[in-house]
Amino acid sequence: MARNGFFTGLDIGTSSIKVLVAEFIKGEMNVIGVSNVESSGVKDGIIVDIEAAATAIKSAIEQAEEKAGISIERVNVGLPANHLQIEPTQGMIPVPSESKEIKDEDVDSVVRSALTKSITPEREVISLVPEEFIVDGFQGIRDPRGMMGIRLEMRGLIYTGPSTILHNLRKTVERAGIKVENIIITPLAMAKTVLNEGEREFGATVIDMGAGQTTVASMRAQELQYTNIYPEGGEYVTKDISKVLKTSMQIAEALKFNFGSADMATTSLTETVPVEVVGSEEPIEVTERYLAEIISARIRHILERIKQDLVRGRLLELPGGVILVGGGAILPGVVELAQEIFQTNVKLHVPNQVGIRNPMFANVISLVEYVGTMTEVDILSQGAVSGEELLRRKPVDMGTPSMTVTAPELNRSYDVKPSRAVESFQEPDYIPQPLPKEPAAPKEAKPKMGERMRGVFGSLFD
C-alpha cells in the first residue's frame, strides 16, 4: 500500500542524470518536479569521477527543487545490476513477548537473523526482500504482525553488490550535499513497476536500453529471476555513425535522433541528408537507408547477444514477452527489430505521468514508485539492513495482515553477473557501402525527410 508524502528519485546514467520528485496521496503518485542534465564522471553506469559526478548531481537536484518548489534533503538512488548477486536466506526466532503476539520488533529481529548469512568482505548487502513468513509452521504469510505464535521464521532473498561501487555511490551523493535515503536496485524496481500484475506473476522480461549499457531483468512469480548487463547502448550507435561517416559525435547524435531508424524496410533509398565529414570542405549526401543500416547493425548485435542468454535460460518462453524501456528504445523500428529477433511479443513501455511520457524517464519513475509503494514489512526489512531509523517510518495506512499460499519454488539463477565487458569501441560487423541512387518503388507514399524531422529535444516532453 502506498505511503503518503514526498519522495525523490535519483537516476545516475551514463549520458544523463535525472531527478524526479513526486507526492503520494492516497496511493496516487503525482509528479511535481523533474530534471534532466548531462551526465559527467559516469561510465557504463558506474561512477568513475566522484567530483565530476557530484557536480552534475547537484545541478540536477537544484533544477528539480526549483520546479517542485521544495527543498530536497534525501534521495532514493538507483543502483545498476553490475556484479549483482542474489542469494536465498532464512531466519528464525522465538517470539519473546508474554502475549506471544508478533510485533514490529519481532519482524526486525527475524530479518536480522537472516542477515547473519556469510557474505564475503568485498561485498555488501543492498537489500533483503522477504518472500514469506512462517508462524508455528503455517506458511505463506505476508505480514505476521498481530498474529499469535511461538516461533517466527522468514524466507527471503538477499541482494548483494561490490562494496566499492556502493561506497562510491554514497560518497558522490553526499558530496553533492544530499543524503541517501535508500539504495534501490534499478532492475528490481523496473520489473516491479513497469510490469503489470499478470506479467509479474506469469513472467516477462524488461530490457532497458540506456546510453552506456543495456540492462535485462526477468520476473516471474513476483520475484526477480534473472538480470544481466551488456556494456553496449545508445552511445555505441552514435559512435558507429561517427566512425563510418567520419563525422563528429555531435552530428552523429543529431543524425540518429532526427533521421535514424532501426527498420531498414521502412526507410528510403532516395531521401538524403547532407553530412559534414572530416577532411572534406563539402558535405556528403547520405541516404536514409544507409543510415538505417549503420544503426540497425549495432542494435541487432546487442539484441542477438541478449537473445542467446534468454534462450539459454528459457526466458523467452515467459508469456509476458519483452518490454522495452530507455532512451535507446525510442528510435523508430527498434520494437519491430526486437520482434524479428526474439520471435515473441514485444512492446514499448511509455510512462503515463503527465509531462514525462517518454521511455527514457522509466528508470527514475520506477525508483520513486518502488519506494512510495513499499509495505510496512518492506520498510522494516530495509531498516534492518541499513540500521537507519529513518527507514522505519510508518506509512499512513496499514492493511490487515494476510495469509496467502506461496507459489511453487521455481528454478532460478541466484548468481547474477554481467556479461564480459567490451574493452573498447567495436566496429560494426561490416562496413556499409554506398547504395545505388536508382529509386526503388515505394510500398506507399511517405512524407519528405524534412517533414519527418524529429528534434533531439522535442521528444523529451509532451
Side-chain angles (χ1 to χ4, degrees):
M1 183 176 294
R3 298 179 283 167
N4 290 350
F6 295 90
F7 300 94
T8 302
L10 170 61
D11 175 30
I12 305 174
T14 302
S15 65
S16 65
I17 293 176
K18 304 176 185 67
V19 175
L20 183 141
V21 184
E23 181 181 15
F24 279 82
I25 303 176
K26 295 181 179 179
E28 292 292 328
M29 174 179 169
N30 303 303
V31 177
I32 61 174
V34 64
S35 64
N36 182 21
V37 304
E38 184 178 354
S39 186
S40 180
V42 184
K43 182 179 180 182
D44 296 337
I46 300 298
I47 295 171
V48 295
D49 187 330
I50 290 179
E51 289 298 334
T55 301
I57 290 172
K58 187 174 182 180
S59 175
I61 291 290
E62 290 173 350
Q63 290 187 26
E65 286 179 330
E66 183 178 353
K67 293 178 180 179
I70 65 172
S71 176
I72 299 174
E73 297 180 354
R74 294 177 177 267
V75 293
N76 300 280
V77 190
L79 179 74
N82 299 62
H83 304 285
L84 176 69
Q85 289 184 357
I86 310 173
E87 300 179 17
T89 188
Q90 60 183 22
M92 188 274 289
I93 63 164
V95 179
S97 64
E98 293 183 2
S99 65
K100 298 303 178 185
E101 182 176 313
I102 299 171
K103 303 176 181 179
D104 287 0
E105 294 78 9
D106 302 317
V107 173
D108 179 88
S109 296
V110 76
V111 171
R112 290 180 182 275
S113 71
L115 290 171
T116 58
K117 184 179 179 68
S118 178
I119 303 295
T120 56
E122 70 275 6
R123 302 192 67 80
E124 182 178 331
V125 176
I126 306 167
S127 179
L128 188 152
V129 178
E131 290 182 300
E132 69 167 346
F133 292 89
I134 303 170
V135 178
D136 293 346
F138 291 97
Q139 302 181 358
I141 300 172
R142 298 297 185 189
D143 187 346
R145 293 171 305 154
M147 296 182 178
M148 182 176 293
I150 298 175
R151 185 182 68 224
L152 176 64
E153 300 175 67
M154 186 219 67
R155 294 175 183 167
L157 297 175
I158 282 183
Y159 295 81
T160 66
S163 299
T164 300
I165 293 178
L166 291 164
H167 171 80
N168 292 344
L169 183 64
R170 294 190 186 97
K171 189 74 174 179
T172 303
V173 176
E174 291 170 0
R175 190 68 60 88
I178 305 297
K179 294 182 179 179
V180 176
E181 183 171 8
N182 285 302
I183 293 180
I184 307 298
I185 300 167
T186 300
L188 179 62
M190 287 283 289
K192 284 202 170 184
T193 58
V194 169
L195 303 180
N196 59 41
E197 183 67 23
E199 290 166 340
R200 290 194 297 270
E201 181 62 36
F202 293 99
T205 298
V206 179
I207 300 179
D208 177 16
M209 304 182 71
Q213 60 187 15
T214 300
T215 304
V216 179
S218 296
M219 177 168 274
R220 178 174 53 185
Q222 304 290 338
E223 297 173 10
L224 188 65
Q225 302 287 320
Y226 169 83
T227 184
N228 206 351
I229 283 185
Y230 301 82
E232 294 177 80
E235 272 191 356
Y236 286 77
V237 176
T238 304
K239 290 176 181 178
D240 287 349
I241 297 173
S242 174
K243 192 168 186 69
V244 172
L245 299 183
K246 296 181 176 60
T247 189
S248 68
M249 287 288 288
Q250 290 77 12
I251 293 177
E253 185 77 0
L255 286 170
K256 181 177 73 173
F257 276 105
N258 293 334
F259 307 106
S261 174
D263 186 4
M264 291 189 294
T266 61
T267 55
S268 171
L269 286 168
T270 58
E271 292 285 344
T272 63
V273 58
V275 179
E276 296 180 6
V277 298
V278 176
S280 176
E281 295 182 0
E282 297 295 328
I284 64 171
E285 295 291 328
V286 176
T287 65
E288 190 181 64
R289 175 68 61 83
Y290 187 53
L291 181 61
E293 283 191 47
I294 302 171
I295 293 172
S296 63
R298 174 60 67 176
I299 295 178
R300 179 180 291 275
H301 172 69
I302 296 171
L303 297 181
E304 288 285 3
R305 292 182 63 193
I306 295 173
K307 180 183 178 181
Q308 291 177 5
D309 292 332
L310 293 181
V311 169
R312 189 178 300 114
R314 302 184 64 180
L315 296 170
L316 283 180
E317 300 174 9
L318 298 178
V322 173
I323 294 88
L324 300 179
V325 298
I330 299 174
L331 281 177
V334 172
V335 173
E336 291 77 10
L337 181 59
Q339 286 176 333
E340 174 192 333
I341 292 172
F342 295 134
Q343 293 295 299
T344 188
N345 179 49
V346 178
K347 65 180 180 181
L348 178 66
H349 172 76
V350 179
N352 58 8
Q353 279 75 17
V354 175
I356 48 174
R357 293 192 177 104
N358 191 302
M360 69 169 56
F361 288 98
N363 257 337
V364 70
I365 293 172
S366 70
L367 296 176
V368 177
E369 284 189 3
Y370 184 87
V371 174
T373 55
M374 288 174 68
T375 65
E376 283 196 343
V377 170
D378 293 332
I379 298 168
L380 288 168
S381 300
Q382 192 63 27
V385 171
S386 65
E388 295 183 10
E389 291 296 329
L390 177 70
L391 295 174
R392 308 184 195 190
R393 292 179 300 179
K394 300 284 193 305
V396 172
D397 299 315
M398 171 182 168
T400 56
S402 60
M403 179 181 293
T404 59
V405 180
T406 54
E409 185 68 17
L410 298 169
N411 293 326
R412 57 180 179 266
S413 171
Y414 288 107
D415 189 7
V416 185
K417 297 180 181 179
S419 300
R420 182 181 59 183
V422 176
E423 299 297 335
S424 60
F425 165 70
Q426 299 178 354
E427 299 216 21
D429 296 335
Y430 70 96
I431 299 297
Q433 301 299 320
L435 297 168
K437 292 289 183 178
E438 293 147 17
K443 294 182 180 178
E444 58 182 12
K446 58 194 297 261
K448 295 291 185 182
M449 182 178 293
E451 299 172 357
R452 294 183 291 109
M453 180 171 180
R454 300 178 295 278
V456 175
F457 301 102
S459 65
L460 293 181
F461 300 93
D462 292 342

